[in-house]
């Protein structure tokens, strides 16, 4: 393995660590401020960081008004819609639940939509993976109900996570059509800024409920971490990893996010799974991974395509709890997701 590729895997793994940390960090934030305000702290701060990066980079490419409008529209769905649900969910359920449900169910839901729409193949192995993934999700909800910890509120939070995963899938599919021909960093900046503005409108009525003078230094450090680490830095590292090892390989590594989310949730918040929940989570993730990997194989052409690809024609890959990353058109990657 080349040294450059080895380093890329290391940076990709670090990106997964940052995305995993977003789940307990978000939970911690909602324990101190209303969830609408917590969401604004993360993505409003992330938007400022991305704007600064964009100004420093000064992209040579000037996107069309249509592409900008598409990026903003997608951001309203993904950044606002997804995160409004995600931060609401963590007020009711453990962050570790979201750390498993989002990364596992987003590619399952997206694959189902693409297959039912006739846009991707329905090979038996892939169908089996989707069935296992959905079955694992059902087992996870049954195990959560049987455990009784958190009661109906936890089940409601997990249901909100499920709806959030569906919204992120819609965001990913929208980006395939709306965000075309844009610089990756510029595209995600427009999306994040647009979504953050709507989050700000939602959060504004709750500012009066915040005891600003009582917020600790730890809270502000966590807010800075949410904005910079899992929202800006992880995205840039992911883009770098795609460049060095390819979109498919980089995207599969996103299945490490639940591991880090669970570890951080246990270490910092004391959250735990029952054995039944842990087993169901493994089944759910295994099915999702099988569906995604078999999807790669199904997409390979019988004859290698040697036609040069234009870098400015793009589709996207989503990260859980974060932003979509435009990819070269024709690349087949899992629609995983929030980070």
């Amino acid at each position: 393995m080349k040294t450059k590729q080895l380093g890329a895997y290391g940076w990709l793994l670090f990106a997964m660590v940052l995305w995993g940390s977003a789940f307990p960090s978000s939970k911690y934030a909602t324990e101190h401020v209303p969830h609408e305000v917590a969401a604004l702290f993360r993505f409003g701060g992330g938007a400022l960081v991305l704007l600064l990066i964009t100004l420093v980079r000064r992209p040579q490419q000037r996107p069309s008004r249509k592409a900008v409008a598409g990026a903003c529209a997608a951001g309203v769905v993904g950044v606002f819609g997804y995160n409004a649900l995600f931060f609401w969910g963590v007020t009711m359920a453990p962050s570790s639940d979201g750390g498993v449900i989002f990364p596992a169910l987003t590619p399952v839901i997206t694959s189902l939509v693409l297959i039912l729409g006739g846009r991707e193949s329905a090979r038996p192995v892939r169908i089996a993976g989707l069935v296992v993934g959905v079955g694992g999700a059902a087992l996870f909800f049954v195990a959560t109900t049987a455990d009784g910890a958190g009661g109906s509120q936890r089940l409601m939070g997990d249901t909100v996570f499920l709806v959030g995963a569906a919204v992120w899938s819609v965001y990913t599919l929208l980006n395939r059509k709306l965000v075309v021909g844009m610089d990756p960093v510029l595209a995600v900046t427009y999306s994040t800024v647009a979504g953050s503005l709507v989050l700000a409108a939602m959060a504004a009525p709750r500012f009066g409920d915040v005891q600003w003078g009582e917020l600790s230094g730890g809270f502000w450090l966590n807010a800075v971490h949410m904005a910079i680490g899992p929202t800006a830095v992880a995205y840039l590292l992911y883009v770098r990893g795609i460049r060095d090892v390819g979109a498919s390989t980089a995207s599969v590594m996103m299945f490490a996010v639940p591991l880090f989310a669970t570890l951080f949730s246990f270490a910092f918040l004391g959250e735990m799974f029952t054995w039944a929940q842990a087993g169901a989570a493994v089944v759910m993730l295994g099915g999702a991974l099988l569906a995604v990997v078999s999807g790669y194989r199904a997409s390979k052409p019988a004859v290698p395509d040697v036609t040069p690809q234009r870098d400015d024609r793009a589709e996207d890959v989503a990260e859980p709890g974060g932003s979509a990353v435009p990819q070269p058109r024709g690349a087949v990657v899992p629609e995983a997701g929030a980070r």
Side-chain angles (χ1 to χ4, degrees):
M1 182 181 296
K2 296 180 180 180
T3 303
K4 183 179 181 180
Q5 286 185 322
L6 186 61
Y9 284 117
W11 287 118
L12 277 170
L13 185 62
F14 184 53
M16 303 306 116
V17 172
L18 291 174
W19 277 333
S21 72
F23 293 91
S25 290
S26 301
K27 177 75 172 182
Y28 176 81
T30 60
E31 292 174 349
H32 295 80
V33 297
H35 66 87
E36 300 93 339
V37 178
L40 179 61
F41 272 130
R42 178 181 175 185
F43 285 90
L48 293 176
V49 174
L50 288 168
L51 280 171
L52 179 60
I53 292 172
T54 300
L55 290 174
V56 171
R57 290 178 70 248
R58 295 184 180 180
Q60 300 296 320
Q61 180 187 26
R62 186 173 181 177
S64 66
R65 292 182 180 180
K66 182 178 179 180
V68 171
C72 292
V76 171
V77 174
V79 175
F80 167 68
Y82 163 82
N83 287 287
L85 290 165
F86 168 68
F87 278 87
W88 180 29
V90 294
T91 65
M92 298 180 284
S95 61
S96 52
D97 286 11
V100 170
I101 291 173
F102 278 120
L105 288 189
T106 298
V108 169
I109 294 171
T110 307
S111 295
L112 283 172
V113 171
L114 291 173
I115 289 173
L116 292 175
R119 296 171 59 187
E120 289 191 358
S121 61
R123 298 177 69 224
V125 174
R126 192 174 193 193
I127 295 297
L130 294 175
V131 170
V132 171
V134 172
L139 289 174
F140 188 87
F141 277 80
V142 170
T144 299
T145 303
D147 176 51
S152 60
Q153 187 178 41
R154 181 175 184 178
L155 187 61
M156 178 63 182
D158 287 351
T159 302
V160 171
F161 288 149
L162 174 60
V163 176
V167 169
W168 189 259
S169 296
V170 171
Y171 172 50
T172 301
L173 295 170
L174 281 177
N175 266 300
R176 287 177 175 265
K177 295 182 178 181
L178 298 180
V179 183
V180 177
M182 289 187 70
D183 172 85
V185 176
L186 196 59
V188 76
T189 299
Y190 275 114
S191 294
T192 304
V193 170
S196 296
L197 290 175
V198 185
L199 283 174
M202 182 182 69
R206 303 301 306 273
F207 286 161
D209 299 332
V210 180
Q211 302 297 319
W212 297 100
E214 297 180 7
L215 296 177
S216 66
F219 171 85
W220 291 111
L221 285 174
N222 181 68
V224 171
H225 165 73
M226 287 195 301
I228 297 177
T231 308
V233 173
Y235 162 76
L236 295 175
L237 292 178
Y238 188 62
V239 170
R240 175 179 174 175
I242 290 172
R243 179 195 65 191
D244 293 340
V245 302
S248 297
T249 301
S251 299
V252 168
M253 290 191 69
M254 296 172 83
F255 286 98
V257 171
L259 171 62
F260 293 114
T262 302
L263 290 175
F264 286 131
S265 296
F266 170 75
F268 294 106
L269 301 178
E271 296 179 356
M272 297 183 67
F273 281 144
T274 64
W275 284 108
Q277 289 169 321
V282 170
V283 172
M284 181 165 46
L285 287 166
L289 181 59
L290 179 62
V292 167
V293 172
S294 62
Y296 292 153
R297 293 174 180 172
S299 68
K300 290 183 179 179
V303 179
D305 183 5
V306 296
T307 304
Q309 299 292 326
R310 291 182 57 188
D311 292 338
D312 61 344
R313 298 292 301 274
E315 292 182 354
D316 58 54
V317 172
E319 55 93 355
S323 304
V325 182
Q327 296 301 321
R329 187 174 295 277
V332 179
V333 288
E335 314 295 354
R339 322 132 129 165

